[in-house]
Amino acid sequence: MSDMKATTEDVKRLAALARVDVDEADLSRFVAEFDSILTYVGKLDELTLPESGRNLSVVRNVLREDENPYESGTWTKQIVEQFPVKEGNSLSVKKIISHD
Amino acid sequence: MTKLLNELSITEAARGLRAQEFSVRELWDACATAAQERNPELNAFLELFDADDAAIEAAQKRIESGEAPLLCGIPLAMKDNILIEGKIASAASKMLSNYRATYDATVTRKLREDGALFIGRTNMDEFAMGSSTEHSAYGPAKNPLDTSRVPGGSSGGSSAAVAANLALAALGTDTGGSIRQPAAHTGLVGMKPTYGAVSRSGLIALGSSLDQAGPLTKSVADAKLLYDVMKGRDPLDATTIPNGTYEKKEVGALLRIGVPRHLLTDGIDEDVAARFNETLARLETEGHTLVDVSLPTSGYALPVYYVIMPAEASANLARFDGVRYGLAERGGSLLEDYLKSRTAGFGTETIRRILLGTFVLSSGYIDAYYRKADQARSVLRAEYDAAFENCDVIAFPTTPSPAFKFGDKSDPVSMYLEDIFTVTANLTGMPAISVPMGNVERDGVSLPTGIHFTAPLGADDLLFKIGALVTDETL
């Protein structure tokens, strides 16, 4: 992996996956920087790890009962104030189903 | 020489308030006036808050009643990624320039309950991504000791504010060194608690398995004081740990200090290495023991970190989509809304790390990068655990060099190397502290350097003990 070269197409595809636009001017810079970062991170290639690398003794999932909810409306005002577009206490969003 | 009120440490101010040498109002005014005067030059604060008269009066009454906690009436600076209800919390990003926190972070609530006052929100690298504050969307903060140099980062506004005496202490957050490195560059004490010791509820997340909030202070005693108030299990953060999660090791009055000499052979400025060796030699003459320790995988810690952190960051930052809060640019479709909001809202370093994170998590590369880094992380921790069989703390210089000049580290990898000694504590979850270890001279200016100690999981208190030995404090 350390000899991998990032291409313009790779960075465009990653940008599309990450939901950002990268303009042409930035693209060549990102490609060059990506190469140097991946070369650096590629040092991991040399590293040989023991078979069972994962230590599960302390880290574990913590779940709780779904109980004691906030009283409905406690935070509504503060949260609704942050909505970019709203109708009453509802968040307005674009229609996502079209008929074409 | 008498200190001005804003130059006091928390413990000194708490004593003065109780002795009625000055009032909470006078202490607040001293900090607020200094902040108004110096902030245009330093850009340490993104916003200075108006005096909260009710809180100031309540703090004064509480102190007069004789039952106030030590933090009562103390003006603190808060990093801009820690929520304070009703205040903007932007993480120094255009994405959140209009976001008003809908609740207090747990650390904010705990400080508030003890009567602490918030003087303002501090500058930082956008979403805590950086080591200089040069990635702030609102211009960099400057190092008060030499304004041509960075104050460190990402908590650089916090370090600048405290080092310039614009607040008595500050909170920062630390994902790969973002409290300890700025502390080292400004002559302060900076501490990253054990992962899970302090609640992350109400922090704007960067790397959720790495992030911790912690203090930037003028003394080790102040760092301990803030840590003691902030720590503890929190039902709002399932990763917080109850007391006794980690076995306590008995440690005597004389400490065994592990030094990984094999990692310190090159890349460190000669005079920084000299301060480090002098500090260790002094501890040795005081009866503490230096032990050689070996941490063979530590040479890979930074590459491991630059896989794990962007992976978590890209996932965490997926929530900023222009739909519910924050910057909301509009296009012809929902997809265009996302694209326009995220493209306009995120700065270059943020986009770089989102792309890198997207890459290391993409199918075809996840095994080679993310899973391998995750395994290496466990190996790192096992090596530290083994090293702690023979020593109580492990020492490094916090950074290889003192504060650098603006623009000196414009390529990303050279900036990432700032964190070479600090990231391991985030990867292993272990607590770590940076304490001033003496100055070096650059271009005729005397600049501070820091010594860094890592302790075993849960042994946060040991860091205050060793830190106080270095600063000659009695806790």
Side-chain angles (χ1 to χ4, degrees):
Chain A
M1 66 194 191
S2 50
D3 53 0
M4 206 203 99
K5 281 268 172 220
T7 65
T8 312
E9 283 313 304
D10 291 334
V11 174
K12 274 188 179 163
R13 212 171 58 85
L14 291 171
L17 280 170
R19 304 276 195 258
V20 288
D21 281 327
V22 178
D23 63 37
E24 290 297 325
D26 284 337
L27 206 55
S28 56
R29 199 179 90 198
F30 272 130
V31 172
E33 286 169 355
F34 238 68
D35 272 337
S36 81
I37 297 169
L38 289 181
T39 304
Y40 184 70
V41 167
K43 275 179 73 175
L44 281 179
D45 249 0
E46 329 160 353
L47 185 63
T48 341
L49 294 169
E51 276 297 300
S52 60
R54 197 98 176 89
N55 175 357
L56 293 169
S57 58
V58 182
V59 180
R60 64 190 200 291
N61 272 330
V62 179
L63 299 173
R64 62 167 175 80
E65 291 303 313
D66 191 9
E67 60 188 6
N68 303 326
Y70 290 117
E71 199 179 318
S72 177
T74 310
W75 302 99
T76 306
K77 184 169 167 283
Q78 291 96 313
I79 290 168
V80 170
E81 273 172 5
Q82 300 299 319
F83 291 168
V85 196
K86 60 198 153 213
E87 275 180 48
N89 278 348
S90 300
L91 170 67
S92 301
V93 291
K94 276 209 169 70
K95 189 166 81 172
I96 53 165
I97 300 171
S98 68
H99 295 288
D100 338 317
Chain B
M1 197 175 72
T2 325
K3 283 184 186 175
L4 299 173
L5 295 187
N6 52 309
E7 294 170 355
L8 299 174
S9 69
I10 299 177
T11 38
E12 289 166 341
R15 200 179 306 130
L17 287 169
R18 276 152 191 77
Q20 294 181 357
E21 290 164 16
F22 48 86
S23 67
V24 175
R25 172 74 63 182
E26 286 165 332
L27 182 61
W28 170 276
D29 286 346
C31 291
T33 306
Q36 260 140 21
E37 273 171 21
R38 293 227 49 206
N39 201 51
E41 178 197 5
L42 297 177
N43 202 24
F45 288 99
L46 296 177
E47 185 186 358
L48 286 163
F49 301 143
D50 290 336
D52 179 344
D53 295 336
I56 290 173
E57 277 161 39
Q60 185 66 43
K61 283 209 178 103
R62 212 166 153 193
I63 289 165
E64 283 163 12
S65 79
E67 283 172 20
L70 287 172
L71 270 187
C72 190
I74 303 293
L76 301 177
M78 299 288 269
K79 191 176 180 180
D80 192 33
N81 61 350
I82 302 173
L83 304 196
I84 303 174
E85 188 179 345
K87 305 286 190 199
I88 301 275
S90 79
S93 178
K94 285 186 206 158
M95 180 60 87
L96 293 174
S97 62
N98 62 350
Y99 172 69
R100 244 171 232 289
T102 51
Y103 60 99
D104 272 344
T106 297
V107 289
T108 306
R109 176 179 60 75
K110 288 188 170 193
L111 298 174
R112 197 195 288 285
E113 283 171 0
D114 266 23
L117 306 170
F118 305 122
I119 192 152
R121 56 188 175 93
T122 58
N123 206 350
M124 55 186 281
D125 289 287
E126 183 179 8
F127 289 108
M129 297 179 180
S131 308
S132 69
T133 71
E134 289 169 289
H135 298 312
S136 167
Y138 305 99
K142 308 246 167 83
N143 191 322
L145 307 170
D146 175 352
T147 52
S148 70
R149 290 174 190 274
V150 305
S154 65
S155 310
S158 289
S159 66
V162 180
N165 296 308
L166 315 184
L168 269 52
L171 287 204
T173 59
D174 190 313
T175 306
S178 281
I179 290 173
R180 292 160 285 155
Q181 182 258 16
H185 283 348
T186 54
L188 300 175
V189 174
M191 187 253 187
K192 180 203 84 78
T194 298
Y195 182 78
V198 172
S199 172
R200 291 180 296 111
S201 174
L203 310 189
I204 297 173
L206 169 56
S208 301
S209 76
L210 306 158
D211 297 344
Q212 276 286 285
L216 282 131
T217 57
K218 298 175 189 173
S219 70
V220 174
D222 284 6
K224 179 171 169 28
L225 204 167
L226 281 171
Y227 168 74
D228 284 340
V229 172
M230 292 195 291
K231 70 181 177 184
R233 175 99 183 81
D234 178 14
L236 298 176
D237 175 2
T239 62
T240 50
I241 50 175
N243 277 338
T245 299
Y246 299 110
E247 196 186 332
K248 277 264 183 288
K249 270 203 305 185
E250 283 305 311
V251 175
L254 295 177
L255 299 173
R256 298 169 303 163
I257 302 161
V259 188
R261 293 281 176 200
H262 66 107
L263 295 170
L264 305 173
T265 49
D266 51 32
I268 302 171
D269 290 1
E270 223 167 273
D271 46 5
V272 174
R275 293 300 92 76
F276 179 69
N277 290 325
E278 287 156 18
T279 308
L280 292 177
R282 199 189 87 209
L283 291 169
E284 202 176 17
T285 57
E286 288 167 11
H288 308 283
T289 318
L290 303 185
V291 184
D292 257 324
V293 294
S294 170
L295 303 163
T297 308
S298 270
Y300 297 94
L302 200 61
V304 167
Y305 177 75
Y306 273 94
V307 172
I308 304 267
M309 179 274 300
E312 295 189 9
S314 69
N316 273 325
L317 270 55
R319 78 188 66 179
F320 302 112
D321 56 9
V323 175
R324 291 157 299 154
Y325 56 88
L327 186 70
E329 299 279 321
R330 287 295 171 255
S333 65
L334 188 62
L335 178 62
E336 275 182 31
D337 291 0
Y338 296 155
L339 284 167
K340 279 176 177 282
S341 301
R342 289 169 66 79
T343 305
F346 291 140
T348 308
E349 179 65 16
T350 305
I351 289 184
R352 190 180 290 128
R353 294 199 198 187
I354 290 174
L355 295 179
L356 191 59
T358 308
F359 172 75
V360 300
L361 291 175
S362 61
S363 69
Y365 296 105
I366 190 166
D367 283 327
Y369 287 100
Y370 184 75
R371 295 214 172 95
K372 181 144 191 193
D374 195 40
Q375 280 186 343
R377 201 174 170 179
S378 304
V379 174
L380 276 171
R381 188 161 138 186
E383 283 177 7
Y384 264 77
D385 284 343
F388 282 129
E389 297 287 319
N390 300 310
C391 64
D392 304 310
V393 291
I394 292 176
F396 282 97
T398 309
T399 56
S401 306
F404 51 94
K405 292 202 161 180
F406 288 102
D408 265 6
K409 305 208 179 214
S410 50
D411 91 282
V413 173
S414 75
M415 184 73 86
Y416 299 170
L417 284 165
E418 264 293 292
D419 294 336
I420 190 142
F421 296 132
T422 50
V423 293
T424 315
N426 302 79
L427 290 168
T428 60
M430 288 165 184
I433 196 168
S434 176
V435 179
M437 66 167 179
N439 283 23
V440 294
E441 202 181 292
R442 293 288 179 278
D443 302 334
V445 183
S446 178
L447 297 169
T449 63
I451 188 168
H452 182 276
F453 297 100
T454 308
L457 290 164
D460 302 66
D461 282 334
L462 196 48
L463 295 175
F464 302 122
K465 184 170 167 175
I466 183 90
L469 290 169
V470 173
T471 58
D472 260 329
E473 288 174 62
T474 315
L475 293 185

